[in-house]
Amino acid sequence: LLSFFLAPDILRYIYHFLALFIGGIGMYELLKRKVLLAKDTVSVLVASLVGAGFYILNLGTLQNFTLPYEAFSHFFASLPWLILGTLLYIDHPTKKKLFILTLFNLLATPAFYIPTIFVVYLMIIFIIFLYHILSTKSLKNAIITLSVIFLVNAFWLLPFLGFVAKGTSFVSQVKINRMFTDEAFLRNQEFGTIGNIALLK
């Protein structure tokens, strides 16, 4: 839609900066509404602002946006909103919150062009489910939430599962994988220390 208003040569830059901005706003809203439950409103607003600032101004985000890739930028923008939508619905389910949950998941689908990003999202959602189930002893809201996530993503998830079921042994023989896999492994091994992880390197 932005291409109707913006020149092609700046479209990609605007998209990534917009993703950074929307992700920051989403983190602010998530922290303010569902994470920081203190009664002092000023403290909550300041803490939410600091948390959102950290979300957009840490080394992991810097690396993500230094050489931006649309799927990662889209996931950065979507993740806080996906978590917020899940928490809003799972804690106090209403039709309006179910619509919001569905809408957030639908808007996030471009991020799942890389299915492993969807796996990361599901891991976060299952942590939320586990906490909810242990604290309420109820499965209903978690099952409905998971059903919404599955149904919204079924248009790409079902063909992908079919593709995986037929076998993916050829993937390791693709030229880009043969050229880059060893280098990626060595880089991860070099930087996969506790110190680098703590600094989000």
Side-chain angles (χ1 to χ4, degrees), residues 59-102:
L59 289 176
T61 303
L62 177 65
Q63 291 174 85
N64 190 43
F65 283 90
T66 297
L67 186 62
Y69 187 59
E70 282 73 11
F72 294 122
S73 296
H74 201 87
F75 186 61
F76 177 90
S78 303
L79 184 60
W81 296 103
L82 290 168
I83 295 171
L84 178 60
T86 300
L87 291 173
L88 286 173
Y89 179 76
I90 206 169
D91 289 342
H92 303 288
T94 64
K95 288 182 179 178
K96 180 181 177 182
K97 290 176 182 174
L98 184 62
F99 173 77
I100 290 170
L101 173 69
T102 304

Side-chain angles (χ1 to χ4, degrees), residues 3 14 22 38 71 85 88 92 101 112 122 168 172 178 181 200:
S3 62
I14 296 296
I22 291 170
L88 286 173
H92 303 288
L101 173 69
F112 305 136
L122 284 184
T168 57
S172 63
R178 284 187 285 133
T181 301
L200 299 177

Side-chain angles (χ1 to χ4, degrees), residues 119-132:
V119 173
V120 171
Y121 170 47
L122 284 184
M123 289 169 60
I124 295 167
I125 293 302
F126 278 117
I127 291 169
I128 293 170
F129 286 171
L130 183 61
Y131 176 78
H132 175 77

Side-chain angles (χ1 to χ4, degrees), residues 155-177:
F155 75 93
W156 69 265
L157 188 56
L158 291 176
F160 176 75
L161 292 175
F163 169 75
V164 170
K166 288 181 180 177
T168 57
S169 58
F170 70 91
V171 172
S172 63
Q173 299 306 313
V174 174
K175 189 170 184 178
I176 186 79
N177 289 338

Side-chain angles (χ1 to χ4, degrees), residues 19-39:
L20 191 64
F21 177 73
I22 291 170
I25 297 296
M27 183 56 70
Y28 176 80
E29 289 296 321
L30 172 62
L31 293 172
K32 184 178 75 170
R33 292 173 184 245
K34 298 306 290 181
V35 176
L36 303 169
L37 303 174
K39 293 181 179 178

